[in-house]
Amino acid sequence: MESGVGKEEGKLDGEPVEVYVRAKCPFCTRLLIFLAEARLLDRVRVAVVDGDEHLLRRLREHAARDVTFPAARFERDGSIEMDTETLMRSFEQRFAVDRADLFVLRFYTDGVMKNQSKLVQAMGLQKALDIIYDRDAGSQSGSAENTA
């Protein structure tokens, strides 16, 4: 698969796509591994939202609901899609990517992600998120994927 041939940076088939990630988010890491290994990183604009309160506020307003990460905004209708699996399926369909061919993604998903899931189940999601994001225990709620 040729990467970026005839494509403008940050566009899929001429359609601008922005991918929003958080630095400490394992789901974001998983999506970035997928995009890199599928040679699609040069076809999206990646924005790290950590510390960018203006961007987080814009995303929340545009989505009209809690934003989880990773997220992506496709210009065709301006909608914000969230959920790692949904985003990867979307990219797979657009570019005929077969996840079975992506060794590093499988390695990360079957190793680090599975072990992390076991830890979260053992300690509880809220406590795990508090540790990951250096928060005081119970200061914010979260979901399985990172919320803004």
Side-chain angles (χ1 to χ4, degrees):
M1 174 188 311
E2 290 292 322
S3 177
V5 174
K7 299 290 181 185
E8 216 177 304
E9 183 180 335
K11 293 191 176 189
L12 298 175
D13 299 326
E15 174 187 340
V17 177
E18 291 184 358
V19 174
Y20 305 100
V21 297
R22 294 190 77 153
K24 296 179 181 181
C25 170
F27 299 101
C28 297
T29 301
R30 185 170 177 231
L31 179 63
L32 290 173
I33 289 169
F34 168 83
L35 291 170
E37 197 170 12
R39 298 183 178 162
L40 298 175
L41 266 179
D42 64 339
R43 297 185 181 190
V44 299
R45 283 187 297 262
V46 177
V48 179
V49 301
D50 299 303
D52 190 338
E53 291 303 317
H54 176 72
L55 178 56
L56 286 169
R57 190 172 36 258
R58 274 190 326 140
L59 285 171
R60 284 185 202 114
E61 290 168 0
H62 190 75
R65 60 186 170 134
D66 284 341
V67 179
T68 61
F69 294 94
R73 185 172 54 85
F74 296 88
E75 283 295 320
R76 70 177 175 270
D77 61 5
S79 67
I80 294 178
E81 292 182 25
M82 295 170 267
D83 179 69
T84 310
E85 283 299 317
T86 301
L87 291 169
M88 287 194 303
R89 273 194 303 273
S90 177
F91 288 115
E92 282 177 306
Q93 291 169 358
R94 289 169 185 260
F95 295 99
V97 173
D98 184 355
R99 257 188 260 188
D101 297 334
L102 306 179
F103 172 78
V104 177
L105 179 67
R106 282 194 332 269
F107 188 83
Y108 179 78
T109 300
D110 295 342
V112 172
M113 289 286 298
K114 276 190 179 175
N115 287 335
Q116 181 181 19
S117 292
K118 290 176 187 176
L119 285 171
V120 168
Q121 288 174 357
M123 71 175 23
L125 176 62
Q126 188 59 53
K127 185 173 182 179
L129 289 173
D130 290 342
I131 291 168
I132 290 168
Y133 291 104
D134 302 317
R135 300 188 300 220
D136 293 329
S139 66
Q140 293 181 353
S141 64
S143 65
E145 296 202 29
N146 281 306
T147 57

